[in-house]
Amino acid sequence: MKAEAMSFTFLGNEGVVKIPFFQRGYVWKKNNWEDLLIDLLDDRKNHFLGSLILKQQEKQTGKPKEVVVIDGQQRLTTLSVLIKALYDLFPEDTKNNCENSIKTYLFYKQQQTDKKFHVKIQHSKLDSQYYHQVIDPGIDPQELSVITDSSSKILQCYKYFYEELQKHPQAELESLFNRIFDTENKILVIIDLGEKEDEQAIFDTINSAGVRLSAADIIKNSLFQRALDVFESQDDVHMMYQNDWEAVFASDDDATAFWDSQRSTGRLMRDNIEILLHSIAVIKGFFDPDKDTLSGLSSLYKAEIAKKTKYELQSFISDIKEYAQLYRNKISSFNRTTLFSFSDDLQRLLHILYVLEITTFHPFILCALKKHKADGPLLNETLKKLEKFIMRRMIAKSETKSYNKFCKELIVDETLLDTKLSEVDDNAVIGGLQNIANKYAALILFWIELYRRDNDKKFPIKDLKFCYSLEHVMPQKWEEHWSIVPVRNDDGTTIIDTEQAKRIRVSKIYSIGNMTLLTSSLNSALRNYPFEKKVLGEGKKKGIKSYADLSVTKDDIVDVFDGGDRIWDEIKIQNRTIALTKEILALWSFPNSFSAKT
């Protein structure tokens, strides 16, 4: 390896400068162009724009010298576009004066005796068309108006430089052009690797400016750089890249947007492609969630890739493609407009995981989707068992720290779900429902609602959005309006002791039987009113009855109220808790579940 500070004129010593087909496209934006231009226009300071890692290719007889850009294509591309914009703004006589410089640094000839010049920097398929449009034949100023924020970043870059440079005097433009091509103005560090040197050792550590490579970029580059090393034919690698990577991750704008979009994974927002690659690493066993961190994902991939033979690598890339297709088609993302159906086992499980902010089991779910893709019933049974495991433990307030370890074990042996399900018995679930957090209660009641709708023909609407407001029927602030309601024990006995009564009332308020879902939140004042007024509302303040579209509210509370039962107390809460508990135990049962007293 040889590293040396150089001016942009280093390009004059190169023939073809090739950006590998598997590298990411041009991604710099206005803030990057602006920073670069401000820096270069300041002639009072020395400039350092970062490094380029280049790898010399073996010279082939009859062909021009070739070098591959391992890292730094963003700044190399930007500088060349800037130079072209400067050149295009010069008057004709100035253009004639510096035409040789442009041809030397931005173009090459196949043979010295040839007349035709070719664009020197050869971009990958993604950007090649637009880069050539800028460099040769060039862009007519009248065409700038059609370049918008949705156009290629390379076209946007040219437009930005052209329009900004127009604001400066001609002498300043000529001065900038001359400084860029001044051999003493060493604005870059060129790291030159020999054809047998391993660029991966330094590839992702030297990018000192601009947009850093993502873990997915590094993994992709490692995969196909290794493929170029172990496959005899570069054409075979190109074909594999097109069929197994580009066709999945960059086939069109929708695909690119999907894989770049982020999801909440607990406290972090992560790209879909990173979630996928992390899941695959867990499935394959070279990422241990108990000890490895996401910041080291690309390094673990590179170590794994470096060991693979030609056929192992081909199989690995094929697996990534298959998992990616499963992820995009099956691993849903949710918002307030998503419709949920109880009959969709995978959607139900993924929604529960989403609400509980659990992403630990995504690797196992992907693994199960691949393993059981030809056996729908077995897949659904596996998903149901995982759902029951998670819901029962959530209700029982069991720890979740062991989930990473359990996910790894499940990937190897999914029958462990049967054993793990029995660890939370019905009594633990019953106890958990006596005091449950609002977030979890809303999730449970929503799926109980869909469970009822799926099992009873009287409900014409089977699909619902998860957009309801949780309400405590007996309010959390009960003292002002509910103190006159006697506190009764489970056997119906009225509690006389003030402190004991208060403890019993507070405990019942946070049980599942005192909670319901409304289509809209109640007025804050009405929320604490006595039961009758809270149900019917007052004046313009609408009560529970106005928002009781769901069975868990209408059938359980409002219809009983309309039937003449206008009392809501600890006995009513306990009776509804018992009724809901039976539904919950039926919905999230396990094979050896015993009948427990509620």
Side-chain angles (χ1 to χ4, degrees), residues 349 352-353 356 358 361 365 385-396 403 417 421:
L349 170 60
I352 288 169
L353 291 171
L356 300 183
I358 296 172
F361 291 104
I365 294 170
K385 286 180 181 178
L386 179 59
E387 176 191 336
K388 291 174 182 179
F389 167 80
I390 291 165
M391 288 299 292
R392 291 175 70 89
R393 290 180 68 87
M394 178 271 285
I395 295 169
Y403 281 4
L417 269 172
L421 263 174

PDB file of all heavy atoms in Angstrom, residues 349 352-353 356 358 361 365 385-396 403 417 421:
ATOM      1  N   LEU A 349     -49.200 -11.731  15.057  1.00  0.00           N
ATOM      2  CA  LEU A 349     -47.958 -11.879  15.815  1.00  0.00           C
ATOM      3  C   LEU A 349     -47.063 -10.660  15.631  1.00  0.00           C
ATOM      4  O   LEU A 349     -46.518 -10.121  16.617  1.00  0.00           O
ATOM      5  CB  LEU A 349     -47.224 -13.141  15.365  1.00  0.00           C
ATOM      6  CG  LEU A 349     -45.789 -13.314  15.881  1.00  0.00           C
ATOM      7  CD1 LEU A 349     -45.753 -13.359  17.402  1.00  0.00           C
ATOM      8  CD2 LEU A 349     -45.153 -14.574  15.286  1.00  0.00           C
ATOM      9  N   ILE A 352     -48.363  -7.646  17.547  1.00  0.00           N
ATOM     10  CA  ILE A 352     -48.105  -7.781  18.985  1.00  0.00           C
ATOM     11  C   ILE A 352     -46.647  -7.450  19.291  1.00  0.00           C
ATOM     12  O   ILE A 352     -46.342  -6.705  20.227  1.00  0.00           O
ATOM     13  CB  ILE A 352     -48.464  -9.205  19.455  1.00  0.00           C
ATOM     14  CG1 ILE A 352     -49.991  -9.369  19.468  1.00  0.00           C
ATOM     15  CG2 ILE A 352     -47.878  -9.513  20.834  1.00  0.00           C
ATOM     16  CD1 ILE A 352     -50.474 -10.789  19.649  1.00  0.00           C
ATOM     17  N   LEU A 353     -45.743  -7.975  18.501  1.00  0.00           N
ATOM     18  CA  LEU A 353     -44.323  -7.674  18.688  1.00  0.00           C
ATOM     19  C   LEU A 353     -44.053  -6.176  18.504  1.00  0.00           C
ATOM     20  O   LEU A 353     -43.247  -5.590  19.234  1.00  0.00           O
ATOM     21  CB  LEU A 353     -43.476  -8.479  17.699  1.00  0.00           C
ATOM     22  CG  LEU A 353     -43.413  -9.987  17.932  1.00  0.00           C
ATOM     23  CD1 LEU A 353     -42.724 -10.677  16.760  1.00  0.00           C
ATOM     24  CD2 LEU A 353     -42.691 -10.313  19.231  1.00  0.00           C
ATOM     25  N   LEU A 356     -45.328  -4.257  21.544  1.00  0.00           N
ATOM     26  CA  LEU A 356     -44.493  -4.561  22.708  1.00  0.00           C
ATOM     27  C   LEU A 356     -43.039  -4.149  22.497  1.00  0.00           C
ATOM     28  O   LEU A 356     -42.215  -4.292  23.402  1.00  0.00           O
ATOM     29  CB  LEU A 356     -44.558  -6.059  23.027  1.00  0.00           C
ATOM     30  CG  LEU A 356     -45.945  -6.614  23.360  1.00  0.00           C
ATOM     31  CD1 LEU A 356     -45.852  -8.091  23.726  1.00  0.00           C
ATOM     32  CD2 LEU A 356     -46.585  -5.830  24.502  1.00  0.00           C
ATOM     33  N   ILE A 358     -40.725  -5.492  20.640  1.00  0.00           N
ATOM     34  CA  ILE A 358     -39.842  -6.665  20.678  1.00  0.00           C
ATOM     35  C   ILE A 358     -39.435  -7.006  19.248  1.00  0.00           C
ATOM     36  O   ILE A 358     -40.291  -7.299  18.403  1.00  0.00           O
ATOM     37  CB  ILE A 358     -40.535  -7.882  21.322  1.00  0.00           C
ATOM     38  CG1 ILE A 358     -40.868  -7.588  22.791  1.00  0.00           C
ATOM     39  CG2 ILE A 358     -39.661  -9.132  21.210  1.00  0.00           C
ATOM     40  CD1 ILE A 358     -41.716  -8.665  23.448  1.00  0.00           C
ATOM     41  N   PHE A 361     -37.323 -11.654  18.060  1.00  0.00           N
ATOM     42  CA  PHE A 361     -37.751 -12.892  17.410  1.00  0.00           C
ATOM     43  C   PHE A 361     -37.877 -12.780  15.889  1.00  0.00           C
ATOM     44  O   PHE A 361     -38.287 -13.754  15.240  1.00  0.00           O
ATOM     45  CB  PHE A 361     -39.078 -13.365  18.014  1.00  0.00           C
ATOM     46  CG  PHE A 361     -38.938 -13.834  19.436  1.00  0.00           C
ATOM     47  CD1 PHE A 361     -39.374 -13.039  20.481  1.00  0.00           C
ATOM     48  CD2 PHE A 361     -38.342 -15.043  19.722  1.00  0.00           C
ATOM     49  CE1 PHE A 361     -39.234 -13.451  21.797  1.00  0.00           C
ATOM     50  CE2 PHE A 361     -38.199 -15.476  21.030  1.00  0.00           C
ATOM     51  CZ  PHE A 361     -38.636 -14.675  22.081  1.00  0.00           C
ATOM     52  N   ILE A 365     -38.689 -15.783  13.138  1.00  0.00           N
ATOM     53  CA  ILE A 365     -39.857 -15.712  12.253  1.00  0.00           C
ATOM     54  C   ILE A 365     -39.432 -15.867  10.799  1.00  0.00           C
ATOM     55  O   ILE A 365     -40.054 -16.620  10.029  1.00  0.00           O
ATOM     56  CB  ILE A 365     -40.609 -14.384  12.472  1.00  0.00           C
ATOM     57  CG1 ILE A 365     -41.211 -14.341  13.873  1.00  0.00           C
ATOM     58  CG2 ILE A 365     -41.704 -14.198  11.421  1.00  0.00           C
ATOM     59  CD1 ILE A 365     -41.764 -12.981  14.272  1.00  0.00           C
ATOM     60  N   LYS A 385     -47.870 -20.466  18.459  1.00  0.00           N
ATOM     61  CA  LYS A 385     -47.171 -20.848  19.701  1.00  0.00           C
ATOM     62  C   LYS A 385     -46.264 -19.724  20.180  1.00  0.00           C
ATOM     63  O   LYS A 385     -46.198 -19.429  21.377  1.00  0.00           O
ATOM     64  CB  LYS A 385     -46.354 -22.117  19.473  1.00  0.00           C
ATOM     65  CG  LYS A 385     -47.184 -23.383  19.370  1.00  0.00           C
ATOM     66  CD  LYS A 385     -46.292 -24.604  19.141  1.00  0.00           C
ATOM     67  CE  LYS A 385     -47.108 -25.874  19.010  1.00  0.00           C
ATOM     68  NZ  LYS A 385     -46.236 -27.062  18.747  1.00  0.00           N
ATOM     69  N   LEU A 386     -45.561 -19.092  19.252  1.00  0.00           N
ATOM     70  CA  LEU A 386     -44.693 -17.984  19.637  1.00  0.00           C
ATOM     71  C   LEU A 386     -45.530 -16.833  20.185  1.00  0.00           C
ATOM     72  O   LEU A 386     -45.154 -16.198  21.187  1.00  0.00           O
ATOM     73  CB  LEU A 386     -43.865 -17.514  18.440  1.00  0.00           C
ATOM     74  CG  LEU A 386     -42.917 -16.332  18.702  1.00  0.00           C
ATOM     75  CD1 LEU A 386     -41.921 -16.665  19.808  1.00  0.00           C
ATOM     76  CD2 LEU A 386     -42.178 -15.939  17.417  1.00  0.00           C
ATOM     77  N   GLU A 387     -46.651 -16.562  19.548  1.00  0.00           N
ATOM     78  CA  GLU A 387     -47.545 -15.494  20.024  1.00  0.00           C
ATOM     79  C   GLU A 387     -48.027 -15.788  21.447  1.00  0.00           C
ATOM     80  O   GLU A 387     -48.014 -14.905  22.317  1.00  0.00           O
ATOM     81  CB  GLU A 387     -48.739 -15.385  19.078  1.00  0.00           C
ATOM     82  CG  GLU A 387     -49.786 -14.385  19.528  1.00  0.00           C
ATOM     83  CD  GLU A 387     -51.075 -14.496  18.726  1.00  0.00           C
ATOM     84  OE1 GLU A 387     -51.024 -14.984  17.581  1.00  0.00           O
ATOM     85  OE2 GLU A 387     -52.133 -14.091  19.254  1.00  0.00           O
ATOM     86  N   LYS A 388     -48.434 -17.004  21.684  1.00  0.00           N
ATOM     87  CA  LYS A 388     -48.913 -17.371  23.024  1.00  0.00           C
ATOM     88  C   LYS A 388     -47.800 -17.239  24.057  1.00  0.00           C
ATOM     89  O   LYS A 388     -48.019 -16.741  25.169  1.00  0.00           O
ATOM     90  CB  LYS A 388     -49.444 -18.812  23.004  1.00  0.00           C
ATOM     91  CG  LYS A 388     -50.721 -18.976  22.206  1.00  0.00           C
ATOM     92  CD  LYS A 388     -51.121 -20.442  22.108  1.00  0.00           C
ATOM     93  CE  LYS A 388     -52.388 -20.603  21.260  1.00  0.00           C
ATOM     94  NZ  LYS A 388     -52.786 -22.026  21.132  1.00  0.00           N
ATOM     95  N   PHE A 389     -46.613 -17.680  23.690  1.00  0.00           N
ATOM     96  CA  PHE A 389     -45.450 -17.569  24.580  1.00  0.00           C
ATOM     97  C   PHE A 389     -45.222 -16.112  24.971  1.00  0.00           C
ATOM     98  O   PHE A 389     -45.040 -15.787  26.153  1.00  0.00           O
ATOM     99  CB  PHE A 389     -44.227 -18.149  23.867  1.00  0.00           C
ATOM    100  CG  PHE A 389     -42.919 -17.839  24.530  1.00  0.00           C
ATOM    101  CD1 PHE A 389     -42.492 -18.572  25.627  1.00  0.00           C
ATOM    102  CD2 PHE A 389     -42.109 -16.806  24.068  1.00  0.00           C
ATOM    103  CE1 PHE A 389     -41.278 -18.282  26.246  1.00  0.00           C
ATOM    104  CE2 PHE A 389     -40.906 -16.515  24.669  1.00  0.00           C
ATOM    105  CZ  PHE A 389     -40.482 -17.248  25.769  1.00  0.00           C
ATOM    106  N   ILE A 390     -45.243 -15.225  23.998  1.00  0.00           N
ATOM    107  CA  ILE A 390     -44.965 -13.802  24.250  1.00  0.00           C
ATOM    108  C   ILE A 390     -46.086 -13.155  25.048  1.00  0.00           C
ATOM    109  O   ILE A 390     -45.841 -12.427  26.018  1.00  0.00           O
ATOM    110  CB  ILE A 390     -44.756 -13.068  22.913  1.00  0.00           C
ATOM    111  CG1 ILE A 390     -43.448 -13.525  22.270  1.00  0.00           C
ATOM    112  CG2 ILE A 390     -44.752 -11.551  23.110  1.00  0.00           C
ATOM    113  CD1 ILE A 390     -43.317 -13.156  20.816  1.00  0.00           C
ATOM    114  N   MET A 391     -47.343 -13.421  24.671  1.00  0.00           N
ATOM    115  CA  MET A 391     -48.468 -12.785  25.354  1.00  0.00           C
ATOM    116  C   MET A 391     -48.607 -13.272  26.791  1.00  0.00           C
ATOM    117  O   MET A 391     -48.850 -12.469  27.707  1.00  0.00           O
ATOM    118  CB  MET A 391     -49.765 -13.037  24.582  1.00  0.00           C
ATOM    119  CG  MET A 391     -49.860 -12.264  23.282  1.00  0.00           C
ATOM    120  SD  MET A 391     -49.806 -10.465  23.507  1.00  0.00           S
ATOM    121  CE  MET A 391     -51.364 -10.168  24.334  1.00  0.00           C
ATOM    122  N   ARG A 392     -48.470 -14.556  27.024  1.00  0.00           N
ATOM    123  CA  ARG A 392     -48.603 -15.082  28.384  1.00  0.00           C
ATOM    124  C   ARG A 392     -47.510 -14.511  29.288  1.00  0.00           C
ATOM    125  O   ARG A 392     -47.769 -14.135  30.432  1.00  0.00           O
ATOM    126  CB  ARG A 392     -48.563 -16.604  28.373  1.00  0.00           C
ATOM    127  CG  ARG A 392     -49.793 -17.236  27.729  1.00  0.00           C
ATOM    128  CD  ARG A 392     -49.666 -18.741  27.628  1.00  0.00           C
ATOM    129  NE  ARG A 392     -49.745 -19.375  28.925  1.00  0.00           N
ATOM    130  CZ  ARG A 392     -50.877 -19.769  29.511  1.00  0.00           C
ATOM    131  NH1 ARG A 392     -52.053 -19.568  28.907  1.00  0.00           N
ATOM    132  NH2 ARG A 392     -50.867 -20.344  30.697  1.00  0.00           N
ATOM    133  N   ARG A 393     -46.301 -14.413  28.763  1.00  0.00           N
ATOM    134  CA  ARG A 393     -45.204 -13.865  29.561  1.00  0.00           C
ATOM    135  C   ARG A 393     -45.385 -12.356  29.798  1.00  0.00           C
ATOM    136  O   ARG A 393     -45.043 -11.839  30.857  1.00  0.00           O
ATOM    137  CB  ARG A 393     -43.865 -14.154  28.896  1.00  0.00           C
ATOM    138  CG  ARG A 393     -43.470 -15.618  28.941  1.00  0.00           C
ATOM    139  CD  ARG A 393     -42.127 -15.853  28.274  1.00  0.00           C
ATOM    140  NE  ARG A 393     -41.038 -15.263  29.028  1.00  0.00           N
ATOM    141  CZ  ARG A 393     -40.386 -15.878  30.021  1.00  0.00           C
ATOM    142  NH1 ARG A 393     -40.730 -17.105  30.392  1.00  0.00           N
ATOM    143  NH2 ARG A 393     -39.398 -15.266  30.647  1.00  0.00           N
ATOM    144  N   MET A 394     -45.910 -11.679  28.804  1.00  0.00           N
ATOM    145  CA  MET A 394     -46.165 -10.242  28.975  1.00  0.00           C
ATOM    146  C   MET A 394     -47.195 -10.017  30.074  1.00  0.00           C
ATOM    147  O   MET A 394     -47.008  -9.194  30.975  1.00  0.00           O
ATOM    148  CB  MET A 394     -46.638  -9.633  27.659  1.00  0.00           C
ATOM    149  CG  MET A 394     -46.983  -8.149  27.739  1.00  0.00           C
ATOM    150  SD  MET A 394     -48.708  -7.829  28.204  1.00  0.00           S
ATOM    151  CE  MET A 394     -49.544  -8.228  26.677  1.00  0.00           C
ATOM    152  N   ILE A 395     -48.310 -10.762  30.016  1.00  0.00           N
ATOM    153  CA  ILE A 395     -49.374 -10.597  31.009  1.00  0.00           C
ATOM    154  C   ILE A 395     -48.881 -10.974  32.399  1.00  0.00           C
ATOM    155  O   ILE A 395     -49.178 -10.291  33.392  1.00  0.00           O
ATOM    156  CB  ILE A 395     -50.603 -11.442  30.623  1.00  0.00           C
ATOM    157  CG1 ILE A 395     -51.215 -10.927  29.305  1.00  0.00           C
ATOM    158  CG2 ILE A 395     -51.651 -11.415  31.727  1.00  0.00           C
ATOM    159  CD1 ILE A 395     -52.259 -11.847  28.712  1.00  0.00           C
ATOM    160  N   ALA A 396     -48.085 -12.037  32.481  1.00  0.00           N
ATOM    161  CA  ALA A 396     -47.585 -12.520  33.767  1.00  0.00           C
ATOM    162  C   ALA A 396     -46.395 -11.714  34.276  1.00  0.00           C
ATOM    163  O   ALA A 396     -45.868 -11.997  35.353  1.00  0.00           O
ATOM    164  CB  ALA A 396     -47.196 -13.993  33.646  1.00  0.00           C
ATOM    165  N   TYR A 403     -34.759 -13.594  26.051  1.00  0.00           N
ATOM    166  CA  TYR A 403     -35.315 -13.755  24.708  1.00  0.00           C
ATOM    167  C   TYR A 403     -34.230 -13.943  23.646  1.00  0.00           C
ATOM    168  O   TYR A 403     -34.416 -14.702  22.683  1.00  0.00           O
ATOM    169  CB  TYR A 403     -36.205 -12.563  24.359  1.00  0.00           C
ATOM    170  CG  TYR A 403     -37.589 -12.618  24.977  1.00  0.00           C
ATOM    171  CD1 TYR A 403     -37.956 -13.644  25.849  1.00  0.00           C
ATOM    172  CD2 TYR A 403     -38.544 -11.648  24.679  1.00  0.00           C
ATOM    173  CE1 TYR A 403     -39.212 -13.692  26.412  1.00  0.00           C
ATOM    174  CE2 TYR A 403     -39.816 -11.691  25.237  1.00  0.00           C
ATOM    175  CZ  TYR A 403     -40.145 -12.709  26.103  1.00  0.00           C
ATOM    176  OH  TYR A 403     -41.401 -12.756  26.655  1.00  0.00           O
ATOM    177  N   LEU A 417     -40.558 -24.453  21.898  1.00  0.00           N
ATOM    178  CA  LEU A 417     -41.711 -23.600  22.202  1.00  0.00           C
ATOM    179  C   LEU A 417     -42.713 -24.321  23.095  1.00  0.00           C
ATOM    180  O   LEU A 417     -43.309 -23.716  23.988  1.00  0.00           O
ATOM    181  CB  LEU A 417     -42.399 -23.172  20.904  1.00  0.00           C
ATOM    182  CG  LEU A 417     -41.935 -21.860  20.271  1.00  0.00           C
ATOM    183  CD1 LEU A 417     -42.556 -21.671  18.902  1.00  0.00           C
ATOM    184  CD2 LEU A 417     -42.253 -20.675  21.166  1.00  0.00           C
ATOM    185  N   LEU A 421     -43.760 -22.783  26.684  1.00  0.00           N
ATOM    186  CA  LEU A 421     -45.138 -22.352  26.894  1.00  0.00           C
ATOM    187  C   LEU A 421     -45.658 -22.773  28.260  1.00  0.00           C
ATOM    188  O   LEU A 421     -46.425 -22.055  28.902  1.00  0.00           O
ATOM    189  CB  LEU A 421     -46.034 -22.932  25.798  1.00  0.00           C
ATOM    190  CG  LEU A 421     -46.343 -22.036  24.597  1.00  0.00           C
ATOM    191  CD1 LEU A 421     -47.110 -22.801  23.542  1.00  0.00           C
ATOM    192  CD2 LEU A 421     -47.118 -20.809  25.027  1.00  0.00           C
TER     193      LEU A 421
END
